[in-house]
Amino acid sequence: MNIEFQAESVSIPAQQKLPILELRHIYKAFPGVQALNDVSMEVYAGEVHALVGENGSGKSTLAKCLAGVHQPESGQIIFNSEVVSFHSPLDARSAGISTIYQEFSLVPTLTVAENIYLGRYPLTPAGLIDWAAMYKSTVSVLEQLSLTIAPDSIVKNLSIAEQQLVEIAKAISLESKVLIMDEPTAALGLVETERLMELIRRLTQQQKAIIYISHRLDEVFQIADRVTILKDGRRMVTAPITELKMGEMVRLMIGFDIEQHYPKEHNAKTETLLQIRHISTENGVHDVSFDIRVGEVLGLGGMLGSGRSEIARAIYGVDRIVSGEILLEGRPIYCQSPKDAVALGIGMIPENRKTDGCFFNFEATKNITISRLQDILRGPFLSLSIERNLGESYIQRMNISRMALERSVQYLSGGNQQKVIIARWLFSKARLLIMDEPTQGIDIGAKLEIYKVINELTTNGISILLISSDFPELLAMSDRIAIVRDGRVLHITEANMLTEYQLIAIASGAGVTEDEQKP
Amino acid sequence: MELFRKFSRTTVAGPLVAFLVVAIIVSLATPRFLQAQNLANVSLQVATVAVVAIGATLVILTGGIDLSPGSTVALVTCSLAILVKNMGLPLPVGILLVLLLGLVCGAINGFFSTYGKIPSFIVTLATMSIFRGFAFLITRGTPIFSVSPDLEPLFYSKLLRIPLPFYYVIILYSLGALFLRYTIPGRAIYAVGGNESAARLTGLSVNGIRMLAFVLSGLTAAIGGVLLAAWLNSGSPNYGQELGLQSIAAAVIGGASLVGGYGSMFATLVGALTVAIVQNGLNLLAVPASWQEITLGIVIMLAVGLDMWRPTIARGLSHLFDKLR
């Protein structure tokens, strides 16, 4: 069901008839994926225009095109009724479009004033920095936003919320007409979120346009005037928020694509392997409890920043558990570091295999045996011949390119690299494997091979904790799913009883009515 | 041909080629280089640097750096002199105690670089001064000569007409190479240097491994100190001032990367020999000392540069060959 809205039928703020920013037929492709496919959008001064979509829908690519980070292959960007072309973020900022990213672009060791005027410090006639003028301007900008931060505070001493406000002040001082906010409330608590909402309303009264990108649909309903929904690089609809119900929005976000065929085998036993009981960490995990059964794939479903990886880190001994306990086969375990977790038979395939997973100074074989070098000892020494044979056998078993035996793994494709890391935990006889985004950045053929490996692992009684932002994949390959939001587990259910729509609804806080809970 | 290709991909190939090139240049520059007596002298001179470079290699492999071995050497020569000459302890006991001292120095470096979370460059920069400072303290600034009649033979005796230091170097390097290739901590050193974050997530004790590297570096510095003391039969707080940088140069010319994870034992030996023959050549040509420093710096840059530029040069050459065909 595609809702088509004609431009005229969309109600717009009374003041303007012409949009301040317009995108017409934007196309942007990256190797292997068409990120933006004929996207058009209009933003008016004084409105809060929300941009929503699933992971991979193209919304961050769109924002980056507006921010000057990417250049579209075709299509036009029209700002202030002029066709513009941004070749760098500086172009976009100078033109009057500022972006406030999730990870701020402030220099932590400089003061608020220095950050706001970074790169354009006011100068005295002699050519030296005019500190007095800078501080004076900073104070006036901060007053416009009713902020009480001292202009000479060092940014790293400010709270996250205050830092974000400094970013916004920077945009104001640049006299930006359009502010793009990417997941602005991800790092904020309830009170700070309220303050941000008020600030946004005040900014719109000053005729600034806000493009608000967020996964949190309840906030979108709270603050947005209109919303554009993207899916798979296309615009599904732009409509005033009052004309959309939550249910429709979620339905448009996930669409009705052809179901991909996933080769899921069901090998979960009834016996429990791991029991997580009320664990909390200082890194955002709050009172989380769930069980993982032998041979089961337990999926953790949630939006970006929901705390899934943080739960994994707690189990793996990376983050310290401040309360609660974990029981492995009924016995309490205390993992103070990954070393303990590995010794207990837990393995982790990290989200970023390049920085945290692969040893680029080793070929595949050494990458595999590193998890349990004791197993290739012959007497007191490592047996390189045993190791070589092991390498050969894993290469064959996991269908990894033979080149992996001779050259550094940095030359392997992403899929092959991932298989090497999985082989590492097979070698160490892990009983629980934590997989954090295992098929990210991998082509479809290699993805299928990894799914087959997951099946092989569960057939052999190995349990998997699967974290994936690819919800169809998560739903298809998991036996049960725990939905995570804000570091809490909201709901655990059999995967085949959950639809993608329900998963998103619960994970994004949109809430689900009783009727909608039935499949 | 196949053997040649296999060899060219080992880590020691590049440094060996550089060494041969330098050796050829030097032998062409002066006929006195290839004389037996000269070569014997060179091998004696290089022994101390070579031994210290073993420890430097281990630390560099883990991604750290040790600037202090020269000062450890000074402290060890002075301590040995005091223990044996002034306090009358038997030589073997004295040697054992100063080897322990080396371990302690290494442990200090290691502790502050790991659990202390201070970058190893800063820690060893500080201990470079502190250790040498202690050497000055215990000797009141004056060298101690004629330590013991039993000390010199450790350096100058010959076995099968070859001076003992030759054997020390071969044995210690073999032990080092065996350690790196065939033991778990040796493999872990490469892992920690290659990707510290991945090493931690794979269950290795990153701090423990880096600590071990520093402790071993302290030990080899102490062995180097004993060797130096035996060579000169004396102890002085001024000894070994160049050893820190020379040992790092040896490792780097031998192909060790300062970011960690790349390098090998015997390649470092080749690197140490390269530095030694350059200095020897300059000495034989009676080049003034200032030029020697400059030349040494240039040699280090060229040797490492060639290794870094190898893929680019190879690509350029293959393009050239394609065009010529």
Side-chain angles (χ1 to χ4, degrees):
Chain A
M1 174 176 66
N2 266 347
I3 307 173
E4 293 288 339
F5 279 78
Q6 302 302 318
E8 297 82 59
S9 71
V10 173
S11 54
I12 48 176
Q15 288 92 331
Q16 318 281 109
K17 276 282 177 185
L18 274 176
I20 186 158
L21 177 65
E22 205 184 329
L23 292 124
R24 288 192 192 153
H25 306 292
I26 300 287
Y27 285 83
K28 177 70 188 165
F30 295 111
V33 59
Q34 186 71 33
L36 294 173
N37 200 336
D38 195 6
V39 175
S40 302
M41 190 171 137
E42 312 78 35
V43 182
Y44 294 89
E47 78 161 339
V48 178
H49 192 127
L51 187 56
V52 303
E54 270 197 303
N55 298 330
S57 57
K59 57 186 196 303
S60 51
T61 309
L62 189 62
K64 286 189 180 149
C65 284
L66 289 173
V69 176
H70 296 315
Q71 287 73 46
E73 278 103 43
S74 71
Q76 290 180 321
I77 301 178
I78 299 163
F79 185 55
N80 260 336
S81 306
E82 273 177 31
V83 178
V84 291
S85 175
F86 300 134
H87 294 286
S88 74
L90 188 61
D91 288 348
R93 249 178 229 275
S94 316
I97 301 180
S98 286
T99 306
I100 293 147
Y101 293 101
Q102 220 180 333
E103 322 86 26
F104 308 137
S105 52
L106 300 172
V107 181
T109 48
L110 295 181
T111 63
V112 168
E114 284 168 315
N115 265 285
I116 290 178
Y117 286 98
L118 200 62
R120 46 189 190 109
Y121 298 140
L123 300 177
T124 64
L128 302 172
I129 296 179
D130 190 344
W131 294 102
M134 189 157 82
Y135 281 123
K136 200 148 157 260
S137 316
T138 305
V139 166
S140 86
V141 166
L142 292 175
E143 270 172 8
Q144 279 182 51
L145 301 175
S146 307
L147 297 179
T148 53
I149 309 169
D152 58 350
S153 331
I154 305 277
V155 160
K156 73 171 179 213
N157 295 333
L158 300 177
S159 71
I160 302 279
E162 286 170 324
Q163 287 182 12
Q164 191 179 59
L165 293 170
V166 170
E167 281 259 39
I168 297 178
K170 192 162 144 181
I172 302 291
S173 80
L174 283 164
E175 312 217 346
S176 303
K177 307 247 179 36
V178 177
L179 271 76
I180 305 174
M181 295 190 179
D182 190 359
E183 301 289 347
T185 58
L188 301 183
L190 279 169
V191 172
E192 292 143 340
T193 304
E194 256 316 302
R195 277 208 309 186
L196 180 68
M197 296 296 174
E198 265 184 53
L199 180 58
I200 291 177
R201 283 184 205 109
R202 234 177 308 136
L203 287 170
T204 56
Q205 276 161 18
Q206 292 169 14
Q207 291 308 300
K208 310 256 183 251
I210 313 270
I211 299 179
Y212 191 90
I213 305 173
S214 179
H215 278 298
R216 297 187 174 179
L217 302 182
D218 47 347
E219 281 170 13
V220 167
F221 273 97
Q222 200 187 338
I223 192 69
D225 296 308
R226 296 189 309 145
V227 62
T228 292
I229 302 176
L230 290 186
K231 179 174 173 47
D232 290 332
R234 283 176 209 274
R235 166 165 76 159
M236 303 309 286
V237 72
T238 298
I241 202 70
T242 47
E243 293 182 22
L244 270 181
K245 289 217 187 25
M246 179 70 81
E248 289 170 72
M249 175 148 24
V250 177
R251 217 171 288 137
L252 285 162
M253 279 167 69
I254 59 179
F256 291 94
D257 271 335
I258 309 162
E259 287 282 306
Q260 282 172 286
H261 184 67
Y262 291 90
K264 168 72 181 165
E265 284 172 26
H266 298 272
N267 295 313
K269 313 257 187 312
T270 47
E271 34 176 315
T272 307
L273 177 71
L274 198 73
Q275 291 163 285
I276 316 276
R277 292 268 167 278
H278 303 288
I279 58 168
S280 301
T281 69
E282 281 164 11
N283 202 9
V285 176
H286 302 295
D287 195 12
V288 164
S289 301
F290 57 86
D291 290 350
I292 305 181
R293 301 177 190 150
V294 171
E296 170 180 42
V297 177
L298 181 74
L300 288 185
M303 299 301 192
L304 247 47
S306 55
R308 300 163 294 164
S309 294
E310 282 70 21
I311 294 174
R313 289 160 64 100
I315 299 174
Y316 200 57
V318 178
D319 290 342
R320 205 171 65 92
I321 296 176
V322 297
S323 69
E325 60 170 2
I326 300 183
L327 298 135
L328 178 64
E329 288 178 338
R331 278 169 298 122
I333 60 172
Y334 307 99
C335 293
Q336 299 192 311
S337 72
K339 194 168 173 179
D340 297 333
V342 173
L344 288 165
I346 305 176
M348 160 114 97
I349 297 174
E351 187 179 344
N352 195 330
R353 55 182 170 269
K354 284 192 173 52
T355 56
D356 302 322
C358 293
F359 294 100
F360 283 163
N361 57 332
F362 287 162
E363 3 68 90
T365 311
K366 293 203 171 89
N367 264 284
I368 294 174
T369 56
I370 192 69
S371 56
R372 219 187 170 140
L373 289 166
Q374 313 88 286
D375 282 357
I376 53 171
L377 283 175
R378 206 172 25 200
F381 296 118
L382 298 173
S383 162
L384 297 187
S385 56
I386 293 181
E387 187 179 40
R388 230 180 330 228
N389 290 337
L390 272 166
E392 287 266 4
S393 80
Y394 277 108
I395 295 288
Q396 285 198 7
R397 179 173 162 191
M398 316 262 310
N399 200 12
I400 301 172
S401 151
R402 272 206 72 83
M403 169 177 90
L405 290 174
E406 278 148 50
R407 307 182 72 195
S408 155
V409 295
Q410 75 183 106
Y411 299 113
L412 295 179
S413 68
N416 276 325
Q417 284 177 346
Q418 203 67 305
K419 285 193 254 180
V420 167
I421 299 180
I422 296 177
R424 174 190 296 167
W425 297 115
L426 276 172
F427 171 66
S428 80
K429 304 194 177 56
R431 287 178 297 173
L432 168 66
L433 202 45
I434 303 172
M435 292 186 162
D436 198 348
E437 306 285 0
T439 64
Q440 196 176 67
I442 292 178
D443 68 271
I444 190 75
K447 278 195 210 217
L448 274 160
E449 293 200 51
I450 293 190
Y451 299 145
K452 291 204 194 104
V453 169
I454 291 180
N455 286 334
E456 191 196 312
L457 292 170
T458 55
T459 308
N460 287 316
I462 298 172
S463 310
I464 296 182
L465 183 67
L466 177 63
I467 299 173
S468 174
S469 298
D470 181 343
F471 292 147
E473 167 185 279
L474 187 71
L475 287 162
M477 293 307 294
S478 307
D479 291 296
R480 290 185 304 147
I481 295 199
I483 305 180
V484 181
R485 186 181 193 224
D486 284 335
R488 293 184 163 76
V489 168
L490 298 181
H491 193 50
I492 304 177
T493 179
E494 297 290 315
N496 54 19
M497 301 264 289
L498 193 67
T499 65
E500 193 181 346
Y501 155 75
Q502 288 166 336
L503 171 55
I504 296 181
I506 300 176
S508 62
V512 170
T513 68
E514 268 191 36
D515 298 320
E516 289 165 325
Q517 256 173 16
K518 302 201 192 84
Chain B
M1 196 61 212
E2 181 56 44
L3 204 66
F4 179 73
R5 196 167 298 141
K6 256 192 109 181
F7 171 73
S8 69
R9 280 210 236 118
T10 63
T11 43
V12 79
L16 206 56
V17 167
F19 170 75
L20 288 170
V21 166
V22 172
I24 291 172
I25 294 177
V26 174
S27 22
L28 288 176
T30 162
R32 286 190 285 164
F33 174 67
L34 288 174
Q35 286 176 356
Q37 184 58 46
N38 182 55
L39 292 177
N41 283 341
V42 174
S43 40
L44 285 183
Q45 280 176 333
V46 84
T48 321
V49 181
V51 168
V52 174
I54 295 176
T57 308
L58 292 174
V59 170
I60 288 176
L61 280 174
T62 63
I65 197 159
D66 191 348
L67 297 172
S68 69
S71 305
T72 309
V73 162
L75 185 57
V76 160
T77 62
C78 296
S79 308
L80 186 64
I82 290 178
L83 287 170
V84 171
K85 181 166 187 186
N86 298 9
M87 290 167 59
L89 289 174
L91 186 60
V93 175
I95 291 180
L96 211 65
L97 286 175
V98 299
L99 289 183
L100 240 90
L101 175 64
L103 289 172
V104 168
C105 290
I108 294 174
N109 284 333
F111 177 78
F112 287 104
S113 304
T114 57
Y115 301 98
K117 298 200 211 282
I118 305 176
S120 58
F121 185 90
I122 306 290
V123 172
T124 56
L125 189 63
T127 54
M128 190 168 86
S129 303
I130 295 174
F131 294 162
R132 194 175 291 280
F134 270 106
F136 274 102
L137 204 62
I138 60 178
T139 59
R140 299 205 199 116
T142 47
I144 302 171
F145 295 107
S146 304
V147 173
S148 159
D150 302 320
L151 189 52
E152 271 191 327
L154 282 179
F155 194 86
Y156 291 99
S157 309
K158 295 194 182 162
L159 183 64
L160 305 173
R161 306 224 301 192
I162 301 175
L164 288 182
F166 175 82
Y167 296 100
Y168 300 153
V169 168
I170 296 291
I171 291 174
L172 287 170
Y173 265 89
S174 304
L175 284 175
L178 264 154
F179 171 73
L180 279 179
R181 215 162 129 84
Y182 293 106
T183 69
I184 291 183
R187 180 68 62 87
I189 283 180
Y190 278 105
V192 166
N195 189 335
E196 184 178 315
S197 164
R200 192 170 293 121
L201 287 176
T202 326
L204 295 176
S205 169
V206 168
N207 282 341
I209 290 295
R210 294 176 61 215
M211 189 67 182
L212 176 67
F214 279 106
V215 166
L216 289 175
S217 178
L219 179 63
T220 56
I223 297 174
V226 171
L227 219 60
L228 188 62
W231 185 12
L232 304 169
N233 199 10
S234 54
S236 162
N238 284 313
Y239 283 164
Q241 280 176 359
E242 351 63 67
L243 277 177
L245 283 175
Q246 277 186 340
S247 64
I248 294 173
V252 164
I253 293 180
S257 167
L258 288 176
V259 307
Y262 297 93
S264 88
M265 248 338 134
F266 281 109
T268 299
L269 183 56
V270 171
L273 287 169
T274 310
V275 172
I277 63 175
V278 167
Q279 288 184 315
N280 180 242
L282 294 172
N283 276 332
L284 290 176
L285 294 169
V287 173
S290 30
W291 277 109
Q292 293 204 20
E293 294 244 349
I294 296 172
T295 323
L296 190 62
I298 295 178
V299 165
I300 293 176
M301 272 230 267
L302 276 178
V304 178
L306 273 169
D307 207 41
M308 303 245 101
W309 304 322
R310 205 177 351 156
T312 325
I313 295 178
R315 244 180 289 140
L317 282 175
S318 70
H319 280 178
L320 199 67
F321 282 141
D322 286 339
K323 285 221 178 90
L324 290 175
R325 243 188 266 148

